[in-house]
Amino acid sequence: MIEPGQLVMLVSPKGKRYFRVLQTEDVLNTNDGQLQMQNVVHQGYGAVVHTHLGRAYTVLKPTLYDLIKSVKRRTQIIYPKDIGYIIIKLGIGPGCRVIEAGCGSGALTTALAWFVGDAGRVYSFERRQEFASLCRENLEKIGLESRVQIADGDIEQGFGIEKADALFLDVRTPWEYLEHIPGALIPGAPVGFLLPTVNQVSSLLSAMQDGSFSSVEVLEILVRRYKPVPERLRPEDRMVAHTGYLIFARLGAP
Ligand code: SAM
């Protein structure tokens, strides 16, 4: 039995994933026929339920990884491997107030909303209205929209927020907005940035030398996957060699 209001992931015979906030009376229209959510409520996680055409769907409780991978995207997104480290470095947890820009498709927004809980708040900024709408839609699909305030606006005017606990910028020219950061955060707050090229990292580091930041760290995260074959265990032939550089710091002098 699953409580109505819980998020479920329904996996089709071909591996297609559907996410739904469970409502007993709902019907899910799939490529394989209709699925009655009442059956999903009664069968519970791990069960197999059938469409009216007899196709078997597996009911699973989604992980944050599943949700990030399912984000409908029209921008580059931040990958789970990078998001994990970002969350830890920024100290994101229940009750946090965190600022991010730009939210783009909302992959990082999803993770921030997941971790801040109902008592926290994510303030997301996005200058392109179509991406702000897409991010909102992606959050609504998984029931996390109430934790996020999306402003479709440019951060060149500042954030209009005070005493937030942390900040992350995934924009092309973050050095242009550094002057707005001290007024938006508590003293000593963690800040982070993602940039795809070393030239951009150099520009950011130069701008950060004004004495407003300390404990600066630059890194990238590589994941090497293995073929899970016990008798011939070896890495996969191809890997994603580069997503972006991560830059972290603390607000204020050491
Ligand atoms: N972090 C997002 C995710 O994980 O899905 C992806 C962000 S996308 C790579 C970068 C976004 O920043 C774009 O949607 C762009 O419109 C937005 N952006 C760039 N400069 C901005 C600014 N000055 N103010 C607000 N948004 C900005």
Side-chain angles (χ1 to χ4, degrees):
M1 179 95 180
I2 308 174
E3 287 292 315
Q6 294 287 302
L7 184 63
V8 294
M9 178 168 80
L10 297 145
V11 187
S12 81
K14 287 186 177 162
K16 183 169 163 61
R17 289 151 180 239
Y18 295 84
F19 295 86
R20 281 295 178 281
V21 177
L22 206 52
Q23 303 299 343
T24 315
E25 63 281 3
D26 278 1
V27 175
L28 175 67
N29 291 307
T30 76
N31 296 339
D32 303 295
Q34 294 183 333
L35 256 181
Q36 302 291 334
M37 290 298 119
Q38 202 167 14
N39 294 341
V40 175
V41 168
H42 288 120
Q43 297 289 332
Y45 292 122
V48 172
V49 292
H50 292 88
T51 67
H52 82 289
L53 298 175
R55 303 275 157 68
Y57 274 59
T58 309
V59 182
L60 295 175
K61 186 171 185 169
T63 64
L64 177 57
Y65 184 88
D66 296 321
L67 300 182
I68 292 169
K69 294 291 279 186
S70 82
V71 161
K72 194 171 148 196
R73 61 188 79 166
R74 294 225 310 276
T75 63
Q76 182 58 262
I77 66 161
I78 304 185
Y79 283 78
K81 71 177 177 72
D82 297 316
I83 287 177
Y85 196 74
I86 292 169
I87 295 290
I88 292 170
K89 282 295 289 186
L90 297 187
I92 307 300
C96 261
R97 294 172 70 239
V98 55
I99 297 171
E100 70 144 352
C103 62
S105 307
L108 180 63
T109 322
T110 299
L112 295 171
W114 173 281
F115 283 106
V116 300
D118 286 329
R121 198 81 177 148
V122 183
Y123 301 96
S124 292
F125 292 81
E126 173 53 58
R127 71 178 171 193
R128 288 185 56 180
Q129 198 268 327
E130 70 270 33
F131 297 150
S133 301
L134 175 65
C135 179
R136 204 171 284 120
E137 270 169 40
N138 278 326
L139 292 166
E140 281 168 359
K141 197 174 66 176
I142 55 173
L144 288 180
E145 73 283 4
S146 64
R147 300 176 182 183
V148 182
Q149 182 178 310
I150 301 177
D152 23 4
D154 199 306
I155 58 169
E156 70 183 0
Q157 307 306 331
F159 302 102
I161 288 162
E162 289 178 358
K163 299 189 179 136
D165 299 295
L167 172 142
F168 194 86
L169 298 186
D170 179 9
V171 297
R172 207 167 51 84
T173 54
W175 51 89
E176 291 178 358
Y177 315 112
L178 295 186
E179 63 183 296
H180 301 307
I181 295 179
L185 298 179
I186 58 171
V191 298
F193 308 86
L194 183 142
L195 288 167
T197 71
V198 288
N199 318 55
Q200 289 165 297
V201 176
S202 290
S203 299
L204 178 62
L205 292 176
S206 301
M208 288 172 85
Q209 282 177 342
D210 69 349
S212 305
F213 299 92
S214 59
S215 307
V216 178
E217 179 186 7
V218 182
L219 68 133
E220 61 178 324
I221 295 173
L222 309 180
V223 170
R224 189 151 75 127
R225 296 183 183 281
Y226 284 67
K227 297 181 181 180
V229 182
E231 59 278 11
R232 276 179 289 111
L233 186 62
R234 49 159 289 185
E236 289 183 359
D237 303 302
R238 293 167 191 272
M239 65 185 280
V240 176
H242 179 64
T243 52
Y245 299 103
L246 293 171
I247 303 93
F248 295 97
R250 285 276 183 174
L251 181 61

